[in-house]
Amino acid sequence: MSDNNKENEAIKAANPEARLDYELKEAISDQDTNKSKKLVLDPTQKEAVVTKLDLLISKAETSFGDKLKMMRQADKDYTAKIPQRSFPHAGASSIGIPVVKTKLRQLVRKLKSALFRNRPIMPLEPQEQSDVERVEKAEKFLDSEAKKEMKIEKTVEAILKDTGKYGTGLMKVPWVVESDQWSQRETYDGTNPEDVATFDKFYPDAIVKDPEYFIPLHNGEKVTFEASFKKETYRGPRPERINRKNFVTAPGYTDIDKMPFWFEKMTKSWSDLEDDVKNGLFEQEGLDKIKKNNSKKKDPYEYVNKQYVVHEGMWEYEYKGVKQKCLFSLVLKEKAYLRGIKYPYDHSKPYIIPFYIMRDDDSFDGECLEIGRA
């Protein structure tokens, strides 16, 4: 952590309402959230990382080929119907429904019912006048938790469906921090001590960042400005679904905890990549590499309209002489290195959780519903 960040943390601890990420004249630039864990690699080292991971992932995808074919067949089986019988007459079979889809829906309903049981309704009523504020806070908390559970329920439903179709469902649970940009017009009167105190509380480093407002205010003048600042809206785990067909695992391993690498494949547009650079997630060098690769093509700006497959995941990499878990983001087709950071979770466990109905002890994957079993 830089000295400036340490100072900001100290200010925030002493004054929780301080607006440290603010700009009194224009919007705030996003902060590099990976700065403290970013791997410092030279271009040669980055190229070596891309080359090595390209080889590992290619081999893993090749060994996954047969399983992928089974999963694609499972997609067809999901909506397949039992053929109509011609004996004793055409259309004699009364079963004209997709059997696997029907069975899987029944299974998912039962599993969801077990995971998200309806809780009894308990009215919150203040017993005394002093209880009103506490009851209002409790209501807000329960409402917030209910909304979170509703969002999670949809994600879990999709994962359970994958579990039945493919034998394995995957939940990604990264730790996320979300914030919204707030903007408002503010006026402070330098002759009013309360206004000066409020300004100093909200903008503790304005003397350095915006002396044109700090100095007149402390000289007894009135100042008005358009304040733009970030307000944190969520901090915590965010469950997401990963399609098993888009998850690459190290061949021969049954336990994700012991795998030397695993990667998720995701598709991003050029504007998505640019946004990730602006937000401090990816490095500009990676995008420059993609531009350079396309500079000699007939349409040198073709890259702007393309979709890119980004491999993002964990690899046990030897960094500064120590083998450790690191997270990498790459566009292998373009040989572009987008990001490399030390593993961001102190527990060092994967933030990918596999779901199974029936586990195959000799494989990472479980057993799925099939036409013959349905």
Side-chain angles (χ1 to χ4, degrees):
M1 184 182 291
S2 66
D3 293 338
N4 186 48
N5 283 339
K6 287 179 181 177
E7 183 181 348
N8 282 349
E9 289 296 331
I11 294 172
K12 194 73 176 177
N15 176 17
E17 296 184 48
R19 297 171 182 169
L20 297 173
D21 290 330
Y22 73 88
E23 184 62 62
L24 301 188
K25 291 175 291 186
E26 56 190 27
I28 313 163
S29 61
D30 288 308
Q31 303 299 310
D32 182 2
T33 55
N34 299 311
K35 198 172 290 181
S36 62
K37 291 183 175 288
K38 183 177 177 181
L39 302 182
V40 181
L41 305 178
D42 60 39
T44 303
Q45 290 173 314
K46 290 178 182 178
E47 186 177 341
V49 167
V50 172
T51 302
K52 181 63 176 177
L53 282 176
D54 191 10
L55 180 64
L56 289 173
I57 291 172
S58 295
K59 287 183 177 179
E61 289 181 332
T62 299
S63 68
F64 184 59
D66 290 340
K67 185 69 178 178
L68 185 58
K69 287 179 183 177
M70 291 175 61
M71 290 180 179
R72 287 174 178 161
Q73 182 61 44
D75 287 330
K76 296 178 182 178
D77 292 346
Y78 181 65
T79 54
K81 298 179 182 180
I82 294 178
Q84 295 289 318
R85 292 186 311 191
S86 58
F87 179 82
H89 57 80
S93 174
S94 61
I95 302 176
I97 59 173
V99 179
V100 174
K101 186 175 183 178
T102 303
K103 289 290 184 182
L104 187 51
R105 280 180 171 175
Q106 294 172 356
L107 179 61
V108 169
R109 276 199 300 269
K110 290 179 181 179
L111 293 173
K112 273 181 60 183
S113 177
L115 291 170
F116 301 99
R117 291 185 302 172
N118 291 327
R119 291 169 175 76
I121 297 174
M122 297 192 313
L124 295 173
E125 295 181 1
Q127 301 300 312
E128 300 177 12
Q129 186 63 33
S130 59
D131 292 337
V132 173
E133 186 177 349
R134 285 194 299 165
V135 167
E136 287 177 349
K137 287 182 178 179
E139 285 179 338
K140 287 180 180 179
F141 171 76
L142 292 174
D143 183 54
S144 172
E145 292 301 303
K147 287 178 180 177
K148 288 178 186 177
E149 186 168 297
M150 287 170 65
K151 289 181 180 179
I152 294 172
E153 190 172 344
K154 291 180 180 179
T155 303
V156 170
E157 182 176 348
I159 294 169
L160 293 175
K161 184 172 145 184
D162 284 349
T163 307
K165 278 173 68 176
Y166 308 131
T168 308
L170 295 170
M171 177 186 284
K172 176 170 67 172
V173 194
W175 184 270
V176 298
V177 179
E178 294 180 347
S179 59
D180 287 338
Q181 194 78 21
W182 287 57
S183 182
Q184 62 188 29
R185 191 173 183 81
E186 298 180 1
T187 300
Y188 297 90
D189 187 351
T191 61
N192 184 339
E194 290 184 4
D195 273 14
V196 175
T198 301
F199 178 89
D200 290 343
K201 179 174 69 175
F202 283 162
Y203 309 107
D205 51 355
I207 189 172
V208 176
K209 293 177 67 174
D210 292 276
E212 66 269 34
Y213 298 111
F214 181 88
I215 293 172
L217 181 68
H218 282 263
N219 285 336
E221 300 178 27
K222 182 182 288 189
V223 296
T224 300
F225 49 80
E226 189 75 20
S228 179
F229 54 93
K230 279 190 174 180
K231 185 174 182 180
E232 189 175 297
T233 56
Y234 181 77
R235 178 185 292 268
R238 171 61 51 79
E240 299 173 15
R241 167 189 175 252
I242 298 178
N243 190 315
R244 177 64 186 97
K245 292 182 289 186
N246 296 327
F247 191 66
V248 182
T249 57
Y253 287 82
T254 60
D255 190 344
I256 193 172
D257 287 357
K258 298 177 182 178
M259 290 182 186
F261 70 88
W262 44 259
F263 278 83
E264 176 190 2
K265 291 194 298 184
M266 57 187 77
T267 303
K268 289 179 176 279
S269 67
W270 181 256
S271 60
D272 291 335
L273 296 177
E274 287 186 317
D275 288 342
D276 287 336
V277 170
K278 289 177 184 177
N279 293 331
L281 295 176
F282 291 165
E283 298 179 13
Q284 182 61 45
E285 283 181 51
L287 272 65
D288 293 340
K289 171 77 171 174
I290 296 173
K291 287 182 185 179
K292 186 177 179 181
N293 293 345
N294 288 268
S295 62
K296 295 181 180 179
K297 293 187 177 181
K298 187 175 181 180
D299 181 3
Y301 297 102
E302 181 186 349
Y303 66 88
V304 177
N305 300 315
K306 290 170 65 176
Q307 296 288 315
Y308 298 90
V309 176
V310 177
H311 283 79
E312 185 168 282
M314 186 281 298
W315 180 37
E316 292 182 351
Y317 174 66
E318 188 170 321
Y319 181 62
K320 294 185 177 179
V322 179
K323 199 167 188 179
Q324 56 188 291
K325 291 183 177 180
C326 299
L327 290 184
F328 291 96
S329 300
L330 318 155
V331 180
L332 294 178
K333 190 174 180 180
E334 300 284 348
K335 306 296 182 185
Y337 176 102
L338 299 177
R339 176 177 73 153
I341 61 172
K342 295 178 183 178
Y343 203 72
Y345 304 106
D346 292 337
H347 53 64
S348 294
K349 297 288 185 182
Y351 54 88
I352 311 292
I353 302 171
F355 281 58
Y356 305 104
I357 293 175
M358 186 176 292
R359 179 72 188 271
D360 182 351
D361 293 334
D362 298 325
S363 169
F364 170 70
D365 292 292
E367 296 186 15
C368 62
L369 291 175
E370 297 172 350
I371 286 286
R373 295 182 184 178

